[in-house]
Every structure is written in C-alpha cells, then in structure tokens.
Amino acid sequence: MSNNDGCAVSRSEEAKALGIRMGMPVFQAREILQGRELITLSSNYTLYGDISFRFQETLESLCPNIEPYSIDECFLELTDLAEAKKDLYSFAQLIKQRVERWLGIPVCVGVGATKTLAKVANQLAKSNIKHRGVFMIPNNKISSILSKVPVADIWGIGPAYQRLLMENGIESAYDFSQLRKDWIRKNMTVVGLRTAYELCGFSCYDLETNPQTKKEIVVARAFGERVKDLESLIEATCTYLLRAVEKLWKENRFAQTLTIYIRTDPFRKEEKQYSQAVRVEIPVATHDLMELQDYCIQALKQIYKPNILYKKSGVMLSDLVKMEEIQADIFYKPKDSKITKLITSINANFVSGKVRTAITGFGYRNWRMRRGKISPFYTSKWKDVPVIKSK
C-alpha cells in the first residue's frame, strides 16, 4: 500500500487478475473481493532500500559495469563478454540463480544489443512462464521477436504516443522500428527517434555508471491524521527536512534555496481549503541542519493560519552547488556543521531518523505516517531477524 495505507502501489499477479488496478484505493479493492480475504502490507522503505542495496551488490559481484535504474532494476554492460564469445544466455541464467540464492527474491533477466531491446527481453522473460525468467534477443532474430511485441510494451512509449501510433496503424514494436525516421522525429521528437534506432540494434543510450547529480531534493509526506496546531506542523516538516539534509550530504552538495509548503486535503471539498509556500534565499549555500531548521521554522510561522486542518507539508532544497562553487559573504558567518555531519553519518549507517533534533517530537504523533500492517524489518532490526531452530 502507499503512504498512510491509502492505495495499491504494488500488486501480486493474483491481485491483478482480480481487477485491482495500480493506484486503486484499498477500500475499493476490498469491495471487489466482496468479503473475501485481501492481504495487504504497508510500505517498508527501510527494508526495500536495504534489499535494493544488496541486489546491486550481488549484480556487481558478477559484472562491475552496472547502472542502477530504479530500486529494483539495473542495466549491466556485457560488451566484454560478448566480444570474448561468452555464452550470454548462460550468464543471464547465472545472474538469476545467484540473486535468488543470495537474496531469496525472484528476478527476471533480459539480454539485448541495446537498453531498449534488453527491456523488451526482460518483459518477455517476465510475462511468459516458459522462458523461466530469462530471455535473450539474438541480433538475427530482432525483427521476428519485435513483430510479436505490442507497441504499448516498448520502453518509453507512453499512452499519448501509443494512441498516435495505433491511429496510424502501428501495432507492433517491429512496425514502429520500420517507420520513416523523419516522421518519428517530427511527431515523437528525438527521444522517439532514439527508441526506434535502439529497436533496430543501434545503441543510443550508454551505460550511466555515475548517477547524475540531483538538481533539487524534495521530501514531502501526507500526514497520518490531519493537524491543526503549529507545533505539529513544525515537528513534521522538520522531520522531512532532516531526510532532505541527509540526501544533501550524500550528494556532497550545498543548498542555496529552501522552499517550505503546507496544504489542506483537496478531497475534503466541504472544508476550508488553504495552500501556501514560502521560498527562502540562503545568504551563503549551506548543508547545515541547524541553520536550515531555523529557516524552516520561521517560514512555517510566516505561512501558518490557525483553525485549519492541514493534510500535507514538504521541503525542497534547490540551487544545489559544490563546495568550490559557493559564493562567500564577508559579513556572513556560517554555522559549524560538525553536529550535522555526525547526525547524518550515524543515520546513514543505521536508520534515517535514529538521531534527530528534539523539535521533531518523540513518541506517538498523529502526523506520523500510518503503517498499520508493515512487514518485519528482516534485515535491520534484531527482533525481526528470522530464527531457524533445529534439533
């Protein structure tokens, strides 16, 4: 389930077959089952992040050239193996076996000459049980395989482009790859053109082993329960600020601008609606938590209105720069960031929020995210580590 156990954001194959859609409110999903049992789990970001890290480490044990694409997906560069005439299909099977043995999670592996073909292969490995989770598109069979792939399954082709292609009689990935390139460029921009070339086996997207630096960092959450008082708004928003600062330190960047915003619940039409944001220009770029927290509190006091039920708040750190890009000010004395460095380093090695400022509150807080059916923290809490007893 999503934040506050509101909507379905990840579904089993059985749930999909029952008609539970991505983003469907959980109460509607229960109505579909008409009283039968629906198994739901709250989001456990700590567990997912840790498993994702282990997943990437496992892949790196087999192939050093890796690009993390999302929390559960990576691209691997196999050019050296291909040039050495190695059996890439057997190597893909080895990847699947090692991930399942070391982590206990299922995985599908797709192999192709380009990123887009690899994505197509991965989709075929996932959707057809006879492939046993591994599929490879040989260069001499690209056309025959793509002729059976719907245009909707092409990586990067969204609903709008799907409609455009279908209206022009383009139904398969092969049909799309054979379109006149000037038509694609005119109607689908250079991005669509690159996709077409990739489907033909010409690589347009290199492996990005060094992730791009973030241009801004945003942390925002909907509250578990709506809040009315300024103290709760400060507690929640400063908690989100801590997470943003941890990301800032991970990127080794300094923020020149801090934006704070608050809003009510837009679905409560009968209640008074209010939404406001304030942008703070920082005199000298910083990544100090205490300094940013002072700005955050002052900003909230500026935009807060009493007797209003607030549903969400968030922070955004933007105009990020490197240390050597900071423009100093002779009249400005920056704060010592040693405490912030200590906090972020401890939280990086354990769990975010383990060490935090007292103003974020302790114990039960009604604004904290609802996670009534959270799965155990199998890899990060001693009490949740599975125990096997044998005699």
Side-chain angles (χ1 to χ4, degrees):
M1 297 180 287
S2 62
N3 289 351
N4 296 308
D5 297 345
C7 302
V9 292
S10 180
R11 303 151 296 152
S12 66
E13 294 302 320
E14 295 83 355
K16 294 175 184 177
L18 287 168
I20 298 176
R21 304 183 309 277
M22 176 68 76
M24 175 183 281
V26 174
F27 76 88
Q28 290 183 4
R30 296 188 190 281
E31 291 174 357
I32 289 178
L33 267 67
Q34 299 178 346
R36 290 173 292 175
E37 183 182 10
L38 175 66
I39 299 173
T40 58
L41 288 172
S42 305
S43 298
N44 187 336
Y45 302 115
T46 302
L47 176 63
Y48 307 154
D50 186 57
I51 293 296
S52 177
F53 176 74
R54 296 176 187 223
F55 172 62
Q56 293 175 24
E57 280 197 322
T58 302
L59 296 180
E60 287 175 342
S61 71
L62 291 167
C63 177
N65 298 322
I66 176 175
E67 175 193 333
Y69 180 64
S70 67
I71 193 171
D72 65 346
E73 191 172 6
C74 295
F75 287 110
L76 278 66
E77 177 66 66
L78 305 182
T79 303
D80 291 344
L81 292 178
E83 291 177 348
K85 306 299 182 182
K86 298 293 184 181
D87 185 347
L88 298 185
Y89 185 80
S90 297
F91 185 74
Q93 290 180 313
L94 175 62
I95 292 174
K96 177 177 172 63
Q97 292 166 3
R98 180 166 295 189
V99 170
E100 292 181 348
R101 173 171 288 187
W102 287 17
L103 300 181
I105 58 175
V107 65
C108 292
V109 185
V111 182
T114 67
K115 282 185 174 181
T116 304
L117 286 173
K119 287 283 289 187
V120 170
N122 186 271
Q123 180 65 28
L124 292 171
K126 185 186 303 182
S127 59
N128 196 324
I129 192 170
K130 73 176 184 180
H131 295 148
R132 300 180 182 274
V134 176
F135 190 80
M136 178 175 174
I137 302 180
N139 290 338
N140 61 348
K141 294 185 178 180
I142 291 177
S143 298
S144 60
I145 292 173
L146 292 185
S147 64
K148 301 175 184 177
V149 176
V151 71
D153 289 347
I154 303 175
W155 180 43
I157 302 295
Y161 283 149
Q162 290 174 27
R163 288 192 296 270
L164 172 67
L165 294 171
M166 295 295 286
E167 289 169 359
N168 285 272
I170 309 303
E171 297 183 354
S172 72
Y174 176 75
D175 294 337
F176 174 67
S177 68
Q178 298 304 301
L179 273 173
R180 283 173 40 208
K181 300 303 183 281
D182 59 337
W183 186 93
I184 297 176
R185 175 67 183 265
K186 179 181 178 181
N187 293 277
M188 301 178 65
T189 74
V190 69
V191 177
L193 183 61
R194 288 171 180 164
T195 299
Y197 276 122
E198 288 245 325
L199 288 173
C200 294
F202 301 102
S203 180
C204 298
Y205 298 104
D206 295 329
L207 201 73
E208 297 180 5
T209 54
N210 296 318
Q212 293 184 350
T213 304
K214 291 183 174 65
K215 296 181 179 179
E216 58 188 34
I217 295 172
V218 179
V219 178
R221 300 281 188 275
F223 304 143
E225 298 176 17
R226 291 173 298 157
V227 301
K228 183 184 293 186
D229 59 292
L230 177 60
E231 180 182 356
S232 294
L233 271 181
I234 291 176
E235 288 180 352
T237 312
C238 286
T239 299
Y240 308 152
L241 177 66
L242 169 60
R243 183 72 184 111
V245 170
E246 288 175 351
K247 294 181 178 182
L248 191 66
W249 276 73
K250 185 177 181 180
E251 293 284 321
N252 194 25
R253 291 295 185 270
F254 297 75
Q256 297 181 109
T257 305
L258 168 67
T259 303
I260 305 294
Y261 81 90
I262 55 177
R263 71 166 172 81
T264 53
D265 189 342
F267 298 103
R268 302 265 185 164
K269 303 295 185 182
E270 72 281 4
E271 296 180 356
K272 183 178 179 180
Q273 296 295 308
Y274 176 69
S275 177
Q276 189 58 268
V278 60
R279 178 184 172 99
V280 181
E281 300 289 346
I282 302 170
V284 176
T286 183
H287 59 186
D288 181 74
L289 174 62
M290 305 305 170
E291 181 176 1
L292 291 168
Q293 187 172 270
D294 288 343
Y295 292 131
C296 177
I297 294 170
Q298 294 305 314
L300 285 169
K301 289 180 178 179
Q302 179 182 336
I303 60 177
Y304 168 77
K305 285 187 177 181
N307 302 318
I308 292 179
L309 289 170
Y310 296 95
K311 180 60 179 177
K312 187 176 183 179
S313 74
V315 305
M316 179 172 72
L317 299 172
S318 54
D319 298 326
L320 308 184
V321 297
K322 301 177 183 178
M323 177 179 286
E324 58 267 23
E325 298 171 338
I326 296 176
Q327 182 65 47
D329 187 328
I330 192 172
F331 300 107
Y332 176 80
K333 183 179 180 181
K335 291 192 175 183
D336 190 343
S337 296
K338 290 180 181 178
I339 294 178
T340 305
K341 183 178 181 180
L342 183 62
I343 292 174
T344 54
S345 61
I346 292 175
N347 288 345
N349 290 322
F350 295 94
V351 179
S352 176
K354 277 292 184 183
V355 180
R356 59 186 190 275
T357 55
I359 202 168
T360 58
F362 294 90
Y364 170 76
R365 290 292 187 273
N366 59 347
W367 53 264
R368 295 196 190 279
M369 187 167 57
R370 287 198 309 270
R371 294 194 289 182
K373 294 190 176 182
I374 194 167
S375 54
F377 292 75
Y378 293 114
T379 64
S380 59
K381 287 188 177 180
W382 285 110
K383 69 180 184 65
D384 289 341
V385 175
V387 176
I388 299 175
K389 294 182 180 179
S390 62
K391 295 182 179 180

